[in-house]
Every structure is written in C-alpha cells, then in structure tokens.
Amino acid sequence: MSYFDGIAPATFQGPDSTDPLAYRHYDPAEVVMGKTMEEHLRFAVAWWHSFAWPGTDPFGGQTFERPWFGDTMDLARAKADAAFDLFAILGQPYFCFHDADIRPEGANFAENTRNLEEIVDYIAAKMETGGPKLLWGTANLFSHRRYMSGAATNPDPDVFAFAAATVKTCLDATLKLGGENYVLWGGREGYETLLNTDLGKERQQAGRFLTMVVDYAKKIGFNGTILIEPKPQEPSKHQYDYDVATVYGFLKEFGLEGEVKVNIEQGHAILAGHSFEHELAMAASMAIFGSIDMNRNDYQSGWDTDQFPDNPREVALAYYEVIRAGGFTTGGTNFDAKLRRQSLDAEDLVAAHIGAMDVCARGFKAAAAMWEDGALEQARAARYVGWSRGDAPALLQEGTLETIAECVLRDDINPQPRSGRQEKLENVVSQFI
Ligand code: XUL
Ligand code: CO
C-alpha cells in the first residue's frame, strides 16, 4: 500500500487540459532548441520539504501527519519508499537530499554514519530499478543544536571537526549514488552579534573548510560540481555567503573560483534585494553559474516562504538568463519549495510539483522563443555598438586618463543621451508569455 494510492502517474495532456494533475506545458520529450525539455530543465524533487518537513512555522507546530515520520531506520526506509512512489507519479529525472532528511539522527558521529550508509544502500537499490538520479547531495549543518553557532565557522574546533567529518560522509554518499553535484549552503555560517564574533577568523575557517571539501572530492574521484548556495540572512542575521557577488569574492580570496560554482535560489535572491535573473546573470558573467533552486517568496511577508513557483513571466526571465549562460551542464532545476501548512494531503504534494514543473516548462519555452527570435539580443548589441567603432576598443584597453582627456578635448567629444527603450523591450517579452 502506497501513501499515494489512487493517484495516477501524471501525463502530458496539452494546454487545453482542465485536469489540475496533468502536465499542460511540460512534455519531457518535446524538443526545443535541439534538446528535450527533460534535458533542458533537469527537474529535481527536494527530500527535505516534500518528505521531512512537518508543516511547522514560527508560530505553530506540526500540521502534517505522514506515516513515515519518526526517528527509526524502518521509518527512514518507509520515507524512501514514499519518495520513490511520488517520483513514479511525477516522472521527474532527479532528486536532492541532505543526510538528515534520509537517515534518523544518531547518538554520535559513528551512529549517524552507519545510519547514512545503510539508507544510502537502500536508496541505491531502489535507483537500480529505475526512477530518478541524484542531482545533488548535501549535509545538514544547521538544524542540530551543535551547529547553533555555525559549522565551519564555529568558535569551537570540535564543531568544525564534526562538520568536516560529516561532509566527508555526505560526499561519499553523493559519489556512491552517482550525484552530479554537491551543495554547501551555510545556514549558520554567519553571526548574530559582532559583540561575540571574530568575523575575520570565521571567514578564514570557512575558506579552509571549502578547500578541504574540494580536495577530498578530487581525491575520491567525484567528477560532479561543488556548489555554494548564497543566502543573505535567515537563519543567521548576517550570512557570509550573502549573494553571488559576495561568494565570488570569497572564492577568489581562497583561490577556489575555478573549483566551485553557485546554486542560486529564487527566494534567496529576493531576500538579498536582487531579482533572480540578476543573480543568474551575475554568476554567468563570473563563470560560476551552476544550478538553481526554484521557488518563490511571498513579496509581503519578507521572509523565506519557499513556495512553489507560479509566475510564468518571472520564470521566463530567469530561464532566459539560464539560456544566455549556455544552459545547465551538471546543474538543474531543484524545487526547494514546500507546501503551505494547510495542504495536508498526498494529492497536494503531487499538485504542487506538477504545477511547478508546468510553470517552469511554460516559462522555459517562452524564454527559448525569445532567444530564438533574437529581438532582445539585437537591441542589447545595438546599445553597445559604439564600443566596436573607431578607436573605442583601444580607449578601453590602452587609454589612460591623460590620453583620453587629450582625445576628448581634440575631438570635442560631446555625448548625447539615447533612450534605453525599457518599455519597448518589456513589450517584446510580453509577446512571448
Ligand atoms: C535554505 C535552503 C536549503 C539549501 C540546501 O534556505 O535553501 O534548503 O538549498 O541546504
Ligand atoms: Co535552497
């Protein structure tokens, strides 16, 4: 008996379908820009929100009652069974997990490791019979009370050691399950008050920690991508991985900019005061674009609500930047999104993912059409065309303030402002959505 009994596998029925549990836009086999939609979007279901999260919020406790909730190995296996039952309904190609999502918490590191290894073997066996692959694995270094003052950035070297040892086991697990990426989100890698914090020392610890992760991944032959997931705050008041640009500075400081890329989350971008597409474009310009956590935040509540995406225009503008960045290689679209806490039923989990995959497919197809149409790129190129004229390239490469000043005086350079044409470009976008 499955938790999802009575819910049929989701099928593609086309845009005219009125079935809220059918794909209207996501046909995995549809070829767009030379690849299937499945290959472009690389959807992943997140174990933590869909199978581990109990429906809590800052004011209330558990609302969900899943038959697999509880801290035993039997229930961890039941949870994995339920996960693969949902995967069979959705048909998505990937999933993601933290160690703490898939195994019960042990009394110490040795027990955590045993539990993890046992459940990883169980999941590996399920993967052999079909179903999705692992997009990325990660370690939960933020929920347990030992991490309340950070993991890599903890003032206590014992916590640093426990975290490092835990990441080793999670890299091993990710390798064993054929994971294509490994993610580090530093939920507690920041601080609450400067009054007790040596910010410089904590950043050095984080740099050393990440270097060890990169070294170990290479040593065990992990060919996937190591990804940092930026977030400006929450749970920490000030987080060191604030946004993409901050992460790039951090990677440069420790010589890791060629080794590590970013996993960019929609809601985290919003919390940082950016748009999702800004963060994607920034990562692409720094050659560190890796993967995305797709969700949306509520624009009123101002905190990380991790909702499933439902806005085709926002999604289209994001995928447009993904396409401009060359598309995903090892990365993909992970739904780091959870139900609303009143959405109690098995069907709600199914509906949430189908709707999210569908809105992403719709947005992606709009983005692909905008890209192939070329009007936006032509307008962008035209805006910068001056830089290819006459001695403009030399001005940028060889000019000094003195030579340029002579030039401006000699030629009486007197720039005339030109329209940025924003509304016209927004109308172009609207043609495709
Ligand atoms: C938290 C968050 C995490 C990471 C993985 O905001 O996004 O779920 O994606 O640790
Ligand atoms: Co995330």
Side-chain angles (χ1 to χ4, degrees), residues 28 68 150 299 303 387:
W68 57 83
Y299 289 111
W303 55 288
W387 283 103

Side-chain angles (χ1 to χ4, degrees), residues 250-298:
F250 175 81
L251 294 177
K252 277 288 238 194
E253 181 178 350
F254 296 97
L256 296 169
E257 71 276 17
E259 310 280 355
V260 178
K261 294 189 160 77
V262 281
N263 180 41
I264 306 172
E265 178 164 326
Q266 199 276 359
H268 298 183
I270 303 301
L271 282 179
H274 300 306
S275 66
F276 193 18
E277 56 269 26
H278 165 89
E279 288 290 80
L280 294 164
M282 188 64 90
S285 81
M286 293 164 164
I288 56 168
F289 169 65
S291 199
I292 63 175
D293 270 9
M294 182 58 100
N295 55 21
R296 79 179 199 270
N297 268 3
D298 186 293

Side-chain angles (χ1 to χ4, degrees), residues 48 98 136 138 142 185 229 231 265 268 293 304 336:
W48 51 105
H98 302 80
W136 48 264
T138 187
F142 45 89
W185 169 59
E229 185 174 323
K231 187 174 181 181
E265 178 164 326
H268 298 183
D293 270 9
D304 191 5
D336 195 348

Side-chain angles (χ1 to χ4, degrees), residues 3-318:
Y3 184 67
F4 298 96
D5 265 356
I7 305 179
T11 54
F12 172 70
Q13 293 180 12
D16 294 335
S17 171
T18 55
D19 178 355
L21 296 184
Y23 296 119
R24 297 167 61 240
H25 303 281
Y26 181 56
D27 174 2
E30 181 181 351
V31 175
V32 175
M33 288 173 60
K35 281 203 288 191
T36 66
M37 289 294 281
E38 182 172 82
E39 290 165 337
H40 277 298
L41 291 163
R42 296 164 63 82
F43 289 131
V45 171
W47 211 282
W48 51 105
H49 287 314
S50 294
F51 310 114
W53 182 61
T56 47
D57 76 4
F59 301 94
Q62 175 171 353
T63 58
F64 299 162
E65 289 176 338
R66 311 290 192 209
W68 57 83
F69 279 176
D71 246 357
T72 68
M73 282 305 294
D74 276 345
L75 288 169
R77 279 185 285 271
K79 196 198 290 187
D81 293 344
F84 276 78
D85 288 343
L86 177 66
F87 301 161
I89 292 170
L90 300 175
Q92 94 290 353
Y94 290 100
F95 66 94
C96 300
F97 68 85
H98 302 80
D99 53 350
D101 309 327
I102 59 170
R103 57 116 177 94
E105 189 69 34
N108 55 23
F109 174 70
E111 198 184 339
N112 275 352
T113 306
R114 269 197 309 278
N115 289 350
L116 182 67
E117 286 174 352
E118 203 178 315
I119 197 73
V120 162
D121 285 344
Y122 188 75
I123 292 173
K126 293 185 87 70
M127 289 169 77
E128 268 167 30
T129 66
K133 298 185 282 179
L134 178 61
L135 185 65
W136 48 264
T138 187
N140 181 327
L141 305 179
F142 45 89
S143 293
H144 194 280
R145 64 195 290 274
R146 76 172 67 86
Y147 297 123
M148 67 179 191
S149 313
T153 61
N154 201 289
D156 180 351
D158 283 354
V159 180
F160 180 96
F162 199 102
T166 299
V167 169
K168 176 191 175 294
T169 66
C170 290
L171 273 164
D172 291 340
T174 302
L175 177 73
K176 184 154 196 187
L177 294 176
E180 299 186 24
N181 307 267
Y182 184 84
V183 165
L184 296 113
W185 169 59
R188 307 269 174 202
E189 312 295 21
Y191 64 90
E192 295 301 314
T193 172
L194 261 189
L195 296 176
N196 65 11
T197 301
D198 184 340
L199 184 151
K201 167 143 187 45
E202 292 198 359
R203 291 185 66 265
Q204 292 301 313
Q205 287 176 210
R208 181 67 201 133
F209 195 94
L210 187 58
T211 303
M212 291 193 301
V213 171
V214 168
D215 288 349
Y216 184 68
K218 279 190 189 151
K219 183 167 178 214
I220 60 174
F222 176 71
N223 295 324
T225 311
I226 309 277
L227 301 166
I228 288 204
E229 185 174 323
K231 187 174 181 181
Q233 68 277 125
E234 206 188 80
S236 300
K237 169 76 183 127
H238 300 273
Q239 237 158 272
Y240 298 130
D241 302 335
Y242 192 96
D243 61 2
V244 167
T246 309
V247 167
Y248 186 72
F250 175 81
L251 294 177
K252 277 288 238 194
E253 181 178 350
F254 296 97
L256 296 169
E257 71 276 17
E259 310 280 355
V260 178
K261 294 189 160 77
V262 281
N263 180 41
I264 306 172
E265 178 164 326
Q266 199 276 359
H268 298 183
I270 303 301
L271 282 179
H274 300 306
S275 66
F276 193 18
E277 56 269 26
H278 165 89
E279 288 290 80
L280 294 164
M282 188 64 90
S285 81
M286 293 164 164
I288 56 168
F289 169 65
S291 199
I292 63 175
D293 270 9
M294 182 58 100
N295 55 21
R296 79 179 199 270
N297 268 3
D298 186 293
Y299 289 111
Q300 278 83 52
S301 43
W303 55 288
D304 191 5
T305 57
D306 279 339
Q307 289 170 249
F308 283 88
D310 77 339
N311 186 326
R313 190 178 182 101
E314 280 185 2
V315 167
L317 291 175

Side-chain angles (χ1 to χ4, degrees), residues 328-377:
F328 295 122
T329 51
T330 62
T333 303
N334 171 47
F335 293 112
D336 195 348
K338 59 185 182 239
L339 296 175
R340 298 305 86 198
R341 66 197 292 269
Q342 299 172 53
S343 303
L344 302 178
D345 299 342
E347 190 189 70
D348 294 319
L349 265 177
V350 175
H353 286 95
I354 289 174
M357 286 157 76
D358 228 28
V359 84
C360 286
R362 186 169 160 196
F364 183 87
K365 281 191 259 189
M370 288 196 290
W371 178 256
E372 287 186 318
D373 170 78
L376 291 177
E377 292 315 305

